[in-house]
Amino acid sequence: MADTDFDVIVIGAGPGGYVAAIRAAQLGLKTACVESRETLGGTCLNVGCIPSKALLHASELFEEANHGTLAKWGVKVGHVELDLEAMHGGRREAVKGLTGGVEFLFKKNKVTWLKGHARFTAKDSIDVAGTAYRAKNFVIATGSSVTPLPGVEIDQERIVDSTGALELPQVPKRLVVIGGGVIGLELGSVWRRLGAEVVVVEFLDQILPGMDGEIRKEANKIFRKQGFEIRTSTKVTGAERKGDGVILTVEPAAGGAAETIEADVVLVSIGRRPNTEGLDLDKAGVAINKRGQIEVDHEFRTGVEGVYAIGDVTPGPMLAHKAEDEGIAVAEILAGQIGIVNHEVIPSVVYTYPEIAAVGRSEEEAKADGFEVKVGKFPMLANSRAKTNRDTDGFVKVVADARTDRVLGVHIIASVAGTMIAQAAQAMEFGATSEDIAYTCHAHPTHSEAIKEAAMAVSGKPIHI
Ligand code: FAD
Ligand code: NAD
């Protein structure tokens, strides 16, 4: 085999691509991974999951000290000061450590990193920086980028996308977030905790589309209580830079009189779109759908022999762990093994305070899918650990099939919902009924006991309420 020939070439080194490449190499396939960024790890490690969580963590610590949460527990810190540059340093360090870690894993597993932008020249060959490479199989894992908003030009200074919002050199006095989805609420939380007034402008009549209705309402209430100004059913029609600020023009989503909102910084976070531009997919014969995504079957085949696709570039939730699991499965399929991802059980977490987590169907989705449902709910206010820690906002909701008692979905809004959701995902993967969860012994005192109690509430028998 020539140096430029491989069993598998993965295009893109995000959580989907780098994991696929490592797994393929572990399974004995000669593997290369093309990445045009300076560092490995894709959106998630460089400008997504990791840096945002670093700032969420740091800003939470600041708020705890600054707003007296620590003092309420007898931890007096005196004058609290923000060193934003040190906070950014912590973020950069987290990114450097993890992206460097992927580079180490590539070396350890003998994955060749092809540096540059890949373009197909045929279904079995690509060009990277002027060199032709061939492979028996290609995995497209090119991820996604920010969806632009016409009339609101991103300059990464005053009008930023999520990447710019992670790097603001100063805390804005007034931040206007366009889009009340995951990014808007997470990064809005960071800057609100550090002192910004935050206004969220959402096109729909409720924030967090796709989540369970009751969770969305509760989140709306909690975020408003925290000081977010949330303007739903509102659309942004234009933005104009004026001095050191921006004037946004908004109007009711249904149409009506326009008005203006002033901001120091505007964050555009209205969703992400798949990266397929510049790949010359037509040379490989791979088609994209109306939303620009590459459609695949349950074995990640694109319809062109030897060309597969995974992660954000394909339909489904744009989540790092979904991409990773698809990366493992596609590599196992390429090595002649069975690779499966259960797309019915993909948890999602919004890392605000409190966290919001879900797995499976919302109550609305379950009903729309024709299920007769039974619902059990348990408030964190009645959970002993949450009461002790004084983090009682939120509740757990279990949605079960009324006929079989099988759990169809679990929805949590609670300080540590992201950690709690793992057991719900595992239970659903094992086909659990609400009774299975209710009769599983949960350690006391833990927030997770609220899941047990919500499961007990499905059949009307919670203890602590
Ligand atoms: P990506 O991570 O986007 O990686 C694709 C890579 O391919 C990129 O590095 C790109 O440079 C490269 N590439 C593209 N085209 C080419 C080409 N032609 N040649 C060579 N290289 C190419 N998800 C979570 O699950 N949890 C979170 O907490 C979370 N937080 C997020 C926070 C933010 C601010 C953002 C923006 C996203 C967040 N996400 C989170 C989403 C997560 O980042 C994505 O779902 C995930 O990165 C998708 O992985 P991927 O491998 O499909 O693509
Ligand atoms: P999103 O889809 O979560 O939210 C976008 C929001 O913008 C929606 O509420 C939508 O109704 C609204 N919107 C759309 N057009 C609008 C307009 N013109 N004016 C006002 N509002 C408008 O998208 P996002 O927050 O940009 O995040 C992108 C992706 O990144 C998500 O799919 C998410 O899965 C992923 N992500 C995940 C995490 C996490 O897992 N914690 C964190 C960040 C991002």
Side-chain angles (χ1 to χ4, degrees):
M1 213 184 234
D3 280 356
T4 49
D5 286 358
F6 292 88
D7 292 318
V8 188
I9 295 181
V10 181
I11 306 177
Y18 86 72
V19 167
I22 290 173
R23 193 75 175 134
Q26 285 173 343
L27 294 172
L29 301 172
K30 186 184 173 197
T31 307
C33 184
V34 195
E35 175 54 60
S36 52
R37 258 178 227 276
E38 299 285 304
T39 47
L40 301 171
T43 303
C44 179
L45 273 60
N46 287 283
V47 291
C49 326
I50 297 305
S52 61
K53 264 79 261 178
L55 289 187
L56 279 158
H57 176 67
S59 61
E60 199 170 329
L61 295 178
F62 176 76
E63 192 176 42
E64 282 185 1
N66 198 34
H67 284 202
T69 315
L70 294 183
K72 275 191 198 148
W73 285 99
V75 183
K76 296 201 172 166
V77 287
H79 175 66
V80 179
E81 214 179 310
L82 173 66
D83 181 347
L84 185 57
E85 193 36 44
M87 212 174 258
H88 281 312
R91 165 180 62 80
R92 283 191 285 265
E93 201 179 313
V95 169
K96 193 168 171 224
L98 290 170
T99 55
V102 178
E103 198 170 341
F104 165 79
L105 290 173
F106 269 19
K107 285 190 187 127
K108 182 177 161 200
N109 289 286
K110 302 197 168 42
V111 174
T112 305
W113 175 4
L114 305 176
K115 296 185 182 182
H117 183 91
R119 276 184 307 109
F120 278 99
T121 48
K123 74 173 180 146
D124 63 350
S125 63
I126 54 169
D127 172 276
V128 181
T131 304
Y133 296 92
R134 288 179 355 135
K136 291 180 199 147
N137 294 294
F138 284 91
V139 178
I140 303 171
T142 48
S144 63
S145 308
V146 178
T147 304
L149 179 60
V152 187
E153 212 59 51
I154 287 167
D155 59 19
Q156 296 301 27
E157 195 189 322
R158 294 285 160 185
I159 304 181
V160 297
D161 60 16
S162 55
T163 303
L166 288 167
E167 296 188 346
L168 297 179
Q170 280 167 358
V171 179
K173 203 169 157 320
R174 196 169 153 85
L175 170 71
V176 176
V177 172
I178 309 179
V182 195
I183 291 181
L185 293 168
E186 286 187 0
L187 295 181
S189 292
V190 166
W191 294 107
R192 185 199 56 72
R193 291 169 190 170
L194 299 181
E197 272 173 45
V198 180
V199 183
V200 176
V201 181
E202 167 58 49
F203 183 78
L204 299 175
D205 61 357
Q206 193 62 272
I207 56 170
L208 291 169
M211 292 228 146
D212 185 90
E214 285 183 290
I215 295 275
R216 293 172 77 183
K217 266 197 211 134
E218 183 75 2
N220 186 51
K221 208 169 75 193
I222 293 172
F223 292 136
R224 281 179 198 263
K225 207 170 70 185
Q226 289 177 357
F228 275 96
E229 184 184 332
I230 299 177
R231 301 181 62 157
T232 50
S233 304
T234 305
K235 68 178 172 198
V236 174
T237 51
E240 197 192 324
R241 277 283 303 254
K242 198 169 168 207
D244 272 349
V246 182
I247 310 277
L248 280 179
T249 314
V250 299
E251 60 181 55
E259 57 173 310
T260 56
I261 310 182
E262 282 181 35
D264 300 293
V265 175
V266 173
L267 163 60
V268 180
S269 50
I270 60 161
R272 295 178 60 84
R273 60 177 185 186
N275 289 332
T276 52
E277 259 180 40
L279 256 180
D280 289 353
L281 284 177
D282 52 320
K283 301 262 172 58
V286 175
I288 52 173
N289 67 16
K290 275 195 290 204
R291 303 185 62 196
Q293 299 157 323
I294 302 176
E295 299 266 359
V296 288
D297 66 11
H298 67 282
E299 290 192 317
F300 314 102
R301 294 173 202 279
T302 61
V304 174
E305 210 194 327
V307 184
Y308 297 74
I310 58 168
D312 279 12
V313 78
T314 62
M318 289 183 164
L319 295 172
H321 41 279
K322 176 226 179 219
E324 285 187 47
D325 284 10
E326 291 179 347
I328 291 174
V330 76
E332 291 177 348
I333 289 166
L334 293 177
Q337 301 182 353
I338 295 170
I340 297 173
V341 176
N342 179 2
H343 285 99
E344 298 265 296
V345 183
I346 308 260
S348 65
V349 181
V350 187
Y351 296 87
T352 45
Y353 186 88
E355 293 178 343
I356 305 166
V359 61
R361 292 175 173 86
S362 64
E363 185 176 348
E364 294 80 10
E365 282 166 346
K367 286 179 177 162
D369 286 348
F371 288 98
E372 194 189 319
V373 300
K374 288 187 298 183
V375 169
K377 279 200 294 182
F378 190 79
M380 295 313 292
L381 193 58
N383 171 271
S384 59
R385 185 62 181 276
K387 264 182 109 67
T388 307
N389 289 8
R390 300 182 199 160
D391 58 359
T392 50
D393 274 342
F395 60 85
V396 175
K397 174 172 176 179
V398 173
V399 180
D401 183 341
R403 206 170 42 86
T404 63
D405 193 36
R406 196 167 59 92
V407 176
L408 299 171
V410 177
H411 308 276
I412 308 174
I413 178 161
S415 59
V416 290
T419 306
M420 291 163 74
I421 203 68
Q423 70 144 304
Q426 196 153 40
M428 286 181 66
E429 191 66 45
F430 291 171
T433 59
S434 76
E435 192 181 50
D436 289 329
I437 298 179
Y439 285 96
T440 299
C441 190
H442 283 61
H444 175 76
T446 56
H447 292 84
S448 294
E449 286 173 287
I451 299 187
K452 178 188 171 93
E453 294 261 16
M456 289 170 116
V458 171
S459 45
K461 294 179 294 191
I463 298 289
H464 290 97
I465 196 161

